[in-house]
Amino acid sequence: MSESISSGPVGPESPGTAVSGGASLPANLEAVHPSVPALRARFDDAILGHELVAGDEHIVYVDPARNFEILQWLKDDPDHRYTYLSDVTAVDYGGGRPLQVVYQLFSIPHRRHLRIKAELSLDALEIESVVPLWQSANWLEREVWDMFGVTFRNHPDPRRILMPEGYEEGHPLRKDFPLRGRFTRAEQTRRALSQDPEDYYVPSELAGGREPQLVPWQEFAGGRRPMSTTHDSTPTPHDPSARETGEG
Amino acid sequence: MPKQTLELDVSRTPEMGADFRPARGLLAPTDLPEPTLDSENMLINIGPQHPATHGVLRLLLELDGETVVRCVPHIGYLHSSFEKLGEYRDWNQVVPLTDRMDYLAPLIYNCAYAMAVEKMMGIEVTERCRVVRVICMELDRIFSHLLWLGTWAIDVGAFTPFLYSFQEREKVYSLHEAYTGARITTSATRIGGMMADIPVGWDQGVRDFANGVVKTLDEIEFLLSTNGIHLGRTQGVGIISGEDALNYGFSGPNLRASGVPYDVRKDRPYYDYESYDFDIPIGEHGDCYDRYMVRIEEMRQSARLLHQALDRLPEGPINVQDPRVILPSKTDLMNDMESMIHHFKLVMEGVKAPAGESYMAVEGSKGELGMYVVSDGGSKPVRWRIRPPSFVNLSVIPKLVEGGMLADVIMVNASLDIVLGEIDR
């Protein structure tokens, strides 16, 4: 059934329905989007569900343990070719419900949009990174880690991105995170003032070869990173005392 | 042996050693042996307070001579947590947050957000509203590109185009002000329509602007497009292939400059864009110059679109006649109990969206602007996510500048057309 639909150059979302949310639902939901039955046929038990929302948006729920191979297949299979990863984000519904990692895919050759979701329980927030497939996932996954605390395995640069490196209040977009943060305003001010921006990205962190030598994020979870011990003790021109004499 | 990197401020002179020689200028004797130079890489910090970073972007560059070995961008200095704030506001109260993200094209963000929520709720806006929103979005596309053009010219060393383009921008500010009362933070849309119908004569103002901006573009192009300095600094700089551009998530003019004809207006049309007559400019080399040419041509196409939209602007109501989302008129409110109740409910509780979600992508001035909204049936979003085009575009900058020259970093950064308010959100 999917062949008859995918034969045309334009996908099933005809332009006219692009903004009509209240379109009547077809009898066989999955037949409308060729990728959905194909995914079921290929990955069977790793496809946990399918949903049609807002008229023409298809969501496929996948097994978080197999997200990489499913996305790789979607990207490389000539019938699907989701070469463009628009977005990676997450949704926390709160109340202890599983957190959803959301991939927005778009196939430019077939003009099809597909949303892949993987549900992670709050005590196992870990999923395979898709940076090897799409470089665009690099910063997007860093943001999901920063905002939701989802660990991406094999991410090449697993650092916070919007919040400062030493931010210790948690992951702001989680529902259990209070709007004003976990610390009191006084504590936040104290920490902000006691921070020396020169503590981060010092030459010793960047000097050793091509790859940045970064402190793994797990170390941030426990306590404040000690200022003096993370960088090697060899005096560099960055050393404050050296800097003062240099300016004189 | 660990490699040591020397950090130097741009303005600081190197320390003088015992055998330090003054800079070897033209008059220096040539028969002296070349001094053994240290091969250490230099670390240079640009920003976050630097005019050429177009905001509070911080770039950490590792240089080997003048060649960029590595570039590490740092963002987040302007982080305002808009997405979190949105979860504490009702659906209409989110609108003012959207224009504060990209203050260079506020109306596009207003419209994109309203479209996403309307799509989720299954609301079909009126015909007039669709056309007005198209006008708003195309107007702000020119508005945003003009700022890019002015700052781009400044970065390349030309000052006059900056004045020309900002003179045109001033007219858009006035149009914003005439319509919404605000020059930058427009907050023009509401769920189900606009804050108001366009004022009398506004359409003529837009038409005059669309006519005038094309002439200004001609003048600016005369100054830049064949200018030797401009060509030298932009052609062959910051090249990215179409395949890489797609893989790295480029969108908008940046992607099209690399030869990939992906434009949301054509590929996932909304608001009858398929019925407008306009072309998508495509670059060939994927360098800074092509990104410049694509944006210039996009402004001309947007001016065409403005004329077409104004020609077809239909009469009729601007807002949907749906008491669930739009406030009743004051006359009804005072005379009719039903309207009174609707008014009270809307003001006190806000618009209620049924449980569901929607991802609405529009072609923003910077690229694919996606608004992803999730509702659980309440009057506030569970999640409101912006797919930020500048954010993804900026993440490519290490690939573009590494291996190039330090001076090219400025041009590459200017060619990406970033806005930090939306990157940091």
Side-chain angles (χ1 to χ4, degrees), chain B residues 275-288:
Chain B
S275 63
Y276 290 90
D277 179 23
F278 69 108
D279 300 317
I280 301 296
I282 303 292
E284 188 175 352
H285 309 96
D287 58 0
C288 290

Side-chain angles (χ1 to χ4, degrees), chain B residues 305-410:
Chain B
L305 277 165
L306 280 177
H307 282 299
Q308 292 172 42
L310 288 165
D311 288 341
R312 69 166 72 173
L313 184 65
E315 294 299 322
I318 188 96
N319 292 336
V320 290
Q321 307 297 312
D322 187 342
R324 289 181 304 144
V325 290
I326 291 291
L327 290 176
S329 74
K330 266 285 184 249
T331 322
D332 287 348
L333 175 66
M334 294 302 181
N335 292 311
D336 167 13
M337 193 63 201
E338 274 301 296
S339 303
M340 183 77 183
I341 294 169
H342 285 312
H343 185 276
F344 180 80
K345 296 275 276 184
L346 269 179
V347 171
M348 298 307 289
E349 294 169 5
V351 176
K352 277 212 165 50
E357 59 177 72
S358 170
Y359 176 81
M360 180 79 211
V362 305
E363 183 67 28
S365 58
K366 315 284 190 296
E368 177 183 335
L369 167 65
M371 288 281 179
Y372 179 50
V373 286
V374 182
S375 168
D376 63 352
S379 56
K380 289 171 182 167
V382 170
R383 177 89 169 100
W384 163 52
R385 156 79 179 168
I386 309 101
R387 190 271 177 193
S390 299
F391 178 86
V392 186
N393 286 348
L394 180 68
S395 70
V396 192
I397 199 169
K399 175 165 176 64
L400 293 176
V401 303
E402 283 176 8
M405 305 296 274
L406 172 62
D408 294 341
V409 174
I410 303 302

